[in-house]
Every structure is written in structure tokens, then in C-alpha cells.
Amino acid sequence: MDYQKLADLLLPDIDKTPEYYEEMYPARNLPEGARVTRFAPSPTGYLHIGGLFQAIINQMTAKVSGGSAYLRVEDTDKKREIDDGVSAITNGLATFGVSFKEGVTGFGTEAGDYGPYTQSKRVEIYQTIAKSLILKGLAYPCFCTADELTALREKQEAEGALIRGYFGKYAKCRDLTLEEIEAKIAAGEKWVLRFRSDGSEDKRIFFEDVIRGKIEMPENIIDEVLLKSDGIPTYHFAHTCDDHFMHTTHVIRAEEWISSVPKHIALFKACGFKVPKYAHTPQVMKIDEETGDKRKLSKRKDPEAAVSYFVEEGFPKESLIEYLLTIISSGFEDWRRANPTVPAMDYPFNLKKMSSSGCLFDLVKLTDVSKNVISLMKAQEVYDRVAQWAQAYDTEFYNELSADAQRSVAILNIDRENPKPRKDISKWNEVKDYISYFFDKYYVKDYTLPENISKEDAVAIVNCYAQSFDLNDDKDMWFGRIKDMCEPLGFTPNVKEYKKNPDAYKGHVGDVSTVIRIALTSRRNTPDLYSIMALLGEDEIKARLQDAADSWK
Ligand code: GLU
């Protein structure tokens, strides 16, 4: 076969050589041991939680080694692509503080010396390498139609063939002569370019997965498609060319790609490229509410599969990152305890120690992590973040909150900025309800009493309190006054005493406080009531006490 003639016939416009690109993309100037990683999403218009997970792992792996991580857009599958699916990814990442300095930085923008970083703009590179494979006799055109390929699949199924696909004796177009190929092309038949595999069925390959250790698999024997009939590469071929020319040292990707590794190793070798290290990360899983089984997070069934869900709900970016790190690396929580204020992305991540079984994503645990994260924020920070969230998702609440920003900050400061802050808020969409009793617009009265307190006693308590409270009291005096009210009303200020002798009293000081709390906030449980009262002010306190008493009469 005259391969030069074949190559020129198939790819007449390609006049560059692999050497041209080798020179264009020289080795990176990085210290010994530095890792180059990449996050390579397809622009589906949607950032999956698994994507954010991948992005973080890639960034941290590069960072701890003094290397670099870049973002490559894999848009060769036109069926899956949507208009400007890129912004959804770059904005989604940026919202969580994960941005890539190299690669695609937004819709139509990029940075770095190894671009273009969007696969559809690299077609000439793929075709140049494809042409070099044709010249070496390692790639050939295949004219099989979709119907013929379906027939082949059915035949293999009927025969019970263990390996299925286009290979060996089934590969009809493998040995076409140049004349036959010329005739088909002259007749306008469409072709794809296939890899001519030299693998054999009885050979096995070994590779070392950074996360999973040694893996053994049958060698690839399939004549995989390299270029589709429109000249666009398949994932397999684009991966080979891009990770070579971009000098990726560690290909970190989802575990669904493990089965393709033999194919990829064969392609790297055929192209004369060094095989990168592979690390296949576990899937992000959840426990199915109905079946109780572990399953992959699904875009269709689980709103939390999309990163946008966390933005809309108002989870702070730190909470999600912090939580993802706890499921990515078992050492993270200990490190966090020892380093409570260091940014999460400075965690000394070790890819090798990552668990290879599915990472369980649990919204309840995220909620706990987030409560902790928010409890450590200063009131002004909480205010700023809530206001920003509300501006986007609840403008009415934004208006209420910002009408008197200073008061709102003070409300959010109750039981905060102290050594034991309350951990009540896990996301910004809970704040309106959490502080609703401070706002006329949102305050919903509910004077339901606990069963052990009668309406008569409740009326007596609030009437007495209306006479005695004094906003000039310090906290001890304030509580002293509530204690002093107890005995005349038939309650005891002493909880232990009450427990010893419950029949002697109507209740204890806790019950008296509960009645006051219900009257002032319509809740049985609130942050520090003393601080709440200071913010409500004398007139409002009196009005609420009166209103509650009227309701119980
Ligand atoms: N574009 C591929 C995907 O979205 C990326 C796989 C890889 O990282 O190599 O699944």
C-alpha cells in the first residue's frame, strides 16, 4: 500500500507534521515532580456536582506539587453540546471559588501557552496526527454504514462473541486496497478513520492507577474510530493528542473511563507519545430515599446533582467545598480540626490516599458542615452574604433586610462572634424564617402554649413581666427579674428543686421564660432572649406581651 497516497487522498488539506506541533508546544518549564492536571468537561450547559469534585481534585493535585491545572472544553460530541454551555461551567466553578488560570476561562476566552483549549478549535492538530498514523499504516478508512455496523453487532450477539466491536475478521474495511478506497471515495461514500490495532486477544496489559493501584486488563484489539465522518475526533483520539501536547502528567477522570484505558494506552503508543499516569476517581453517590441503595447522583432525579442547586439554596461556597473535601479525602477532617482557619484549598491533598469506592454525598452532613461554617462567620459577613443571595432570589426579603442594615446585622449577631456560636443556619434561604419575628412583614403569631402551662398562668406571667422588665438591666439583672417573678406566681426559680418536688409547683423558671419567649417571638426556641428584647425595643415588647395576654384570655 502506498500510505503517502492514501494519506493525501484522505486528508489532502493537512500539510503540517507532528514535529510542527512538538515545537509549538514544548515541555512545560516546571520543577521536577510537578504535576500537570486538567479538568475536561463537555459543555452540556450544566455543572454536575461530580464536575466540581473533579475540578477540585485536579486543582489540588497540581497545587500540592507546584504544578499547574488547566481547563479544557471537550466539545467534539455535538449532540450533547448546547449553546454557550461553557459559561455554565466556568461561572459555576467561579461561584465556588474554583477558577483555572490556564485554559478556557469563559465563553470565548482562554489563557495559556498550550491552546486552543477547546477541542473543536484543534481539529487540524488531530488530523495532523491522524495523517501521521495513516502514513505509518496504523489507521485506515472505514466505509461501513450504520446499518452494516448494526448487522455486525447482531451477528456478534448471535454468535455469542465475547469481544464485540470492529476488529480482526469482522473489520471488513481493514484490508481494502488503495484502488478500492479510491473508487469508494470517488463514488462519494462517507468514511471514518479507524485505528489499525495490533493487539491480540490473549495478551493482557498492566497499568498503575494512582488511586486504585495495579490494574490488569485484556489488551485492546478494537479498531477504534479516530476521526468521525465529519473529520472530528472521538473522545479517545482527542484525549491522546491533547493530553500529549498539553503535557498532562496525570489524567484524573471519572471511573467510567477505566475500561477505555487499554484503548488509550494503545493509541498513545501508536502515536509515539509517552503514556500519562491515570487516576480514576470514584463516582459521587447517594443513598436512594426509596430503595435505601447506593446509587450514582442523577441529573434527572436529584436536584442536588447540579451545582446551581447549592447556589439557589444559598449554601455558602465554603460549605460545599469543605464538605466535598471531607468525602474526597478521609484525612481532611483531622486536618481541619488542627487548622481551623486555613483555606480548604490549602489542604495537603494526596491523590494516592483517595478512597476508590464511591464517595457518598449526604445532604444532611453537608447541612451540618455548613452550620459550622456559618457559625464561624462574623455578623457583617453573614449579612453581606444573605443580602447578596436575597438580591438574586428573594428581592422582597432583600428590601426588608437592607431597609435598616445596621439593625439586621445586630439581629444576625445574636449568639454570634463568641467562643460558642449557635449553629442554626445552614443556608441563606433559611434566614428569612430564622429572623422573621423581627419583621412585621414576616411575623406570624402563634401563641400555642406547651401542655403543662395553662392560659391563666400564661396571662399572669406576661402581665407580671410587662410591669417588671427594664431594658436598662444587664443580663444578670434581667434574668434575676424573671427568677423573682416565679414564686409569687406558683413557679420555682430552681430547676433542681422542681425536679425533686414537682407537685409543689406549677413549673420552674424555664417554663416562665418559655411563656415570655412565646409572647415575644411566637417560638419556644430562639437565640438569646435578652438580646432579642434589646432589638425589639420597649414599645414593641409591651405591645407583644399585651397581644399574647389578650389571646390567652
Ligand atoms: N469530556 C470527558 C467527560 O466529560 C472528560 C473525561 C476526561 O477527563 O478525560 O466525561
Side-chain angles (χ1 to χ4, degrees):
M1 167 82 75
D2 182 343
Y3 291 128
Q4 185 67 53
K5 213 164 170 192
L6 177 63
D8 289 336
L9 174 67
L10 296 175
L11 297 167
D13 299 332
I14 295 299
D15 54 7
K16 299 199 172 63
T17 61
E19 292 69 38
Y20 171 87
Y21 291 108
E22 294 295 349
E23 244 171 72
M24 188 163 161
Y25 302 119
R28 289 168 183 261
N29 187 10
L30 288 170
E32 178 86 21
R35 293 169 172 187
V36 179
T37 62
R38 83 296 190 274
F39 173 48
S42 297
T44 51
Y46 167 92
L47 182 60
H48 189 279
I49 187 81
L52 181 59
F53 181 86
Q54 284 291 335
I56 294 173
I57 296 170
N58 273 291
Q59 281 210 339
M60 291 205 308
T61 301
K63 191 171 171 185
V64 292
S65 68
S68 51
Y70 64 90
L71 192 154
R72 180 170 72 224
V73 169
E74 305 212 323
D75 60 347
T76 56
D77 186 354
K78 293 282 171 201
K79 272 182 252 130
R80 285 172 63 203
E81 192 186 336
I82 68 150
D83 288 348
D84 187 18
V86 174
S87 304
I89 291 165
T90 50
N91 293 343
L93 290 172
T95 310
F96 288 92
V98 182
S99 51
F100 287 83
K101 285 193 208 73
E102 183 184 336
V104 174
T105 49
F107 188 41
T109 59
E110 62 170 48
D113 297 334
Y114 293 85
Y117 292 89
T118 299
Q119 288 184 330
S120 57
K121 298 187 179 143
R122 301 174 63 80
V123 174
E124 198 181 21
I125 303 176
Y126 308 124
Q127 294 192 352
T128 300
I129 304 306
K131 194 162 184 175
S132 77
L133 290 176
I134 302 169
L135 286 171
K136 289 191 267 183
L138 293 175
Y140 65 89
C142 166
F143 298 88
C144 288
T145 60
D147 287 346
E148 285 173 294
L149 294 175
T150 308
L152 170 62
R153 204 172 316 121
E154 284 165 0
K155 181 172 174 225
Q156 289 176 335
E157 269 166 36
E159 285 175 4
L162 288 178
I163 305 171
R164 295 178 191 175
Y166 205 87
F167 68 95
K169 64 175 181 188
Y170 301 107
K172 244 173 64 179
C173 298
R174 212 171 201 246
D175 297 314
L176 293 178
T177 62
L178 186 57
E179 292 67 37
E180 284 167 323
I181 293 171
E182 278 170 336
K184 283 177 182 288
I185 288 181
E189 280 189 43
K190 278 194 178 304
W191 54 273
V192 299
L193 190 73
R194 285 190 185 270
F195 176 51
R196 186 188 301 277
S197 167
D198 67 352
S200 67
E201 248 166 273
D202 48 11
K203 279 206 202 129
R204 303 185 71 77
I205 61 142
F206 299 87
F207 74 98
E208 187 80 25
D209 186 286
V210 182
I211 297 172
R212 290 153 203 270
K214 209 180 215 77
I215 296 184
E216 188 192 337
M217 280 188 196
E219 189 171 69
N220 173 65
I221 59 163
I222 306 290
D223 285 357
E224 193 56 54
V225 174
L226 304 176
L227 298 178
K228 295 178 266 188
S229 57
D230 54 4
I232 301 293
T234 53
Y235 165 74
H236 308 295
F237 190 50
H239 152 55
T240 312
C241 299
D242 290 346
D243 284 314
H244 170 71
F245 287 116
M246 295 179 180
H247 297 275
T248 308
T249 62
H250 288 62
V251 171
I252 305 171
R253 60 185 180 187
E255 68 182 11
E256 69 205 59
W257 294 109
I258 292 184
S259 57
S260 303
V261 172
K263 220 172 265 175
H264 298 161
I265 291 181
L267 287 178
F268 271 90
K269 290 194 169 152
C271 295
F273 300 155
K274 181 171 179 241
V275 182
K277 289 211 161 59
Y278 285 103
H280 292 90
T281 59
Q283 297 283 8
V284 182
M285 316 275 279
K286 75 176 274 180
I287 303 280
D288 188 280
E289 284 105 16
E290 278 163 32
T291 63
D293 293 337
K294 247 192 192 184
R295 64 165 170 80
K296 224 176 122 174
L297 267 180
S298 125
K299 181 173 170 179
R300 199 169 45 80
K301 288 195 214 154
D302 310 307
E304 73 270 30
V307 163
S308 53
Y309 167 84
F310 301 94
V311 179
E312 284 154 22
E313 291 284 299
F315 279 102
K317 60 175 193 256
E318 296 86 345
S319 303
L320 188 61
I321 300 289
E322 192 87 7
Y323 177 60
L324 283 177
L325 283 170
T326 66
I327 61 173
I328 287 171
S329 173
S330 60
F332 180 75
E333 281 172 278
D334 284 343
W335 176 83
R336 176 46 91 210
R337 267 187 287 278
N339 303 277
T341 54
V342 180
M345 295 295 279
D346 288 348
Y347 171 60
F349 177 64
N350 185 345
L351 189 60
K352 284 193 189 133
K353 290 202 183 140
M354 206 176 153
S355 138
S356 59
S357 54
C359 287
L360 206 56
F361 189 88
D362 179 348
L363 268 178
V364 177
K365 288 213 183 105
L366 166 65
T367 300
D368 284 344
V369 167
S370 193
K371 281 182 176 167
N372 199 41
V373 167
I374 294 179
S375 77
L376 298 173
M377 289 180 186
K378 295 228 185 309
Q380 183 67 47
E381 169 98 45
V382 174
Y383 172 80
D384 292 343
R385 304 261 202 130
V386 179
Q388 196 188 12
W389 174 86
Q391 222 168 359
Y393 298 101
D394 189 345
T395 27
E396 184 194 84
F397 180 47
Y398 172 75
N399 292 337
E400 290 291 313
L401 201 65
S402 58
D404 185 347
Q406 216 181 337
R407 177 173 183 262
S408 297
V409 174
I411 291 171
L412 292 165
N413 199 29
I414 299 176
D415 287 345
R416 182 176 292 282
E417 297 186 24
N418 65 33
K420 276 198 148 190
R422 273 178 86 98
K423 298 181 179 178
D424 290 330
I425 305 169
S426 69
K427 47 192 171 118
W428 308 134
N429 71 358
E430 293 168 354
V431 174
K432 179 160 83 180
D433 179 59
Y434 185 63
I435 62 176
S436 62
Y437 51 84
F438 284 105
F439 296 85
D440 292 343
K441 198 173 205 101
Y442 302 123
Y443 184 38
V444 180
K445 291 174 198 165
D446 176 2
Y447 297 133
T448 314
L449 290 164
E451 269 175 20
N452 61 327
I453 296 168
S454 71
K455 288 188 176 177
E456 295 72 41
D457 287 329
V459 172
I461 291 169
V462 292
N463 281 346
C464 176
Y465 194 57
Q467 300 302 318
S468 67
F469 83 90
D470 183 345
L471 286 183
N472 296 317
D473 287 348
D474 67 20
K475 197 162 173 187
D476 287 340
M477 285 161 72
W478 167 83
F479 194 52
R481 246 182 243 278
I482 296 178
K483 280 184 172 164
D484 290 346
M485 283 167 46
C486 289
E487 283 191 352
L489 294 167
F491 290 76
T492 168
N494 187 331
V495 181
K496 273 196 199 137
E497 169 61 27
Y498 177 76
K499 287 200 173 138
K500 249 194 275 165
N501 218 347
D503 295 334
Y505 306 97
K506 291 175 172 171
H508 58 72
V509 62
D511 299 312
V512 173
S513 309
T514 298
V515 172
I516 299 171
R517 195 183 304 274
I518 290 173
L520 294 177
T521 66
S522 292
R523 294 186 188 194
R524 292 183 197 183
N525 189 351
T526 67
D528 179 37
L529 191 57
Y530 173 75
S531 312
I532 292 174
M533 288 178 65
L535 284 163
L536 286 175
E538 177 143 2
D539 294 346
E540 185 66 20
I541 294 171
K542 283 194 170 146
R544 289 192 184 189
L545 292 173
Q546 185 62 52
D547 193 59
D550 291 346
S551 84
W552 290 322
K553 272 182 194 147

